[in-house]
Amino acid sequence: MISIRRLSLVSNQSQREISDRPLGALRIAIATEDIKGLNAHFGSAKRFAIYDVTAHKSQFMEAIEFDNASDESGRHRTEGDGRIRSRVSALKGCQLLFCLAIGGPSAAKVISAKIHPIKAQQAVSMSQVLSSVQTMLQTAPPPWLRKMLADAGAAKKRADFEDED
């Protein structure tokens, strides 16, 4: 059995206000072992830290914790497709996923859930990840990120030349 725990911030605002993200904010997931940095592989991460990020602000939203992470021998406690499917399902609503590594079949499942996986070369702090996303948003975002921003309401979708009259 796969056990997932969600730990969210509590505030005086109503739950609806908490769950509404700012216009144009990207919801990102960061694979982590300790909530201090990007330091885990997608399939074996004990936790995912979820943030809403805009060009000038980032806000921690929740942590998702899994009981079925790898044991000390490196074997996954729950083998197979169900383990990956539960992770992808838990990340619904995120647009970006940062991790140290992700296998091809897992990446395909993440992409089909409309989440863009980004592999980091090495472990980095949460603030470095958030800062790099904000830098991308402030400068010239790549086309795939511009599309996500348009979907999030931050920018107008550019019409393709085929759509012109």
Side-chain angles (χ1 to χ4, degrees), residues 2-162:
I2 298 171
S3 176
I4 300 171
R5 285 187 294 280
R6 289 184 176 273
L7 309 166
S8 301
L9 293 176
V10 176
S11 76
N12 293 334
Q13 299 174 344
S14 72
Q15 189 62 35
R16 177 170 163 65
E17 291 171 330
I18 293 170
S19 64
D20 288 344
R21 72 181 99 162
L23 183 65
L26 290 176
R27 182 147 296 171
I28 67 168
I30 302 171
T32 183
E33 295 298 319
D34 56 10
I35 304 292
K36 295 179 183 176
L38 163 57
N39 54 18
H41 295 219
F42 173 73
S44 61
K46 291 180 183 177
R47 297 169 191 91
F48 289 93
I50 310 298
Y51 287 85
D52 279 348
V53 182
T54 64
H56 302 288
K57 183 178 153 186
S58 62
Q59 181 178 0
F60 175 79
M61 298 307 292
E62 68 178 333
I64 302 171
E65 185 172 301
F66 297 89
D67 282 341
N68 63 333
S70 297
D71 61 19
E72 291 179 10
S73 71
R75 283 190 229 111
H76 296 295
R77 292 189 183 123
T78 306
E79 295 294 337
D81 191 40
R83 179 177 53 83
I84 298 303
R85 196 176 313 120
S86 67
R87 288 171 181 272
V88 172
S89 178
L91 297 178
K92 287 274 191 201
C94 293
Q95 282 101 8
L96 301 178
L97 163 66
F98 290 86
C99 56
L100 289 180
I102 185 169
S106 295
K109 287 178 178 59
V110 167
I111 291 167
S112 71
K114 298 185 190 270
I115 304 169
H116 186 85
I118 299 173
K119 291 192 290 186
Q121 299 296 320
Q122 61 190 18
V124 295
S125 70
M126 291 290 184
S127 62
Q128 288 174 298
V129 175
L130 298 171
S131 177
S132 69
V133 172
Q134 288 176 321
T135 299
M136 277 194 299
L137 293 172
Q138 292 169 4
T139 58
W144 59 266
L145 186 55
R146 283 196 304 265
K147 181 182 181 321
M148 288 182 174
L149 289 168
D151 291 344
K156 293 180 181 175
K157 290 185 182 179
R158 226 177 83 199
D160 292 332
F161 63 90
E162 295 172 355

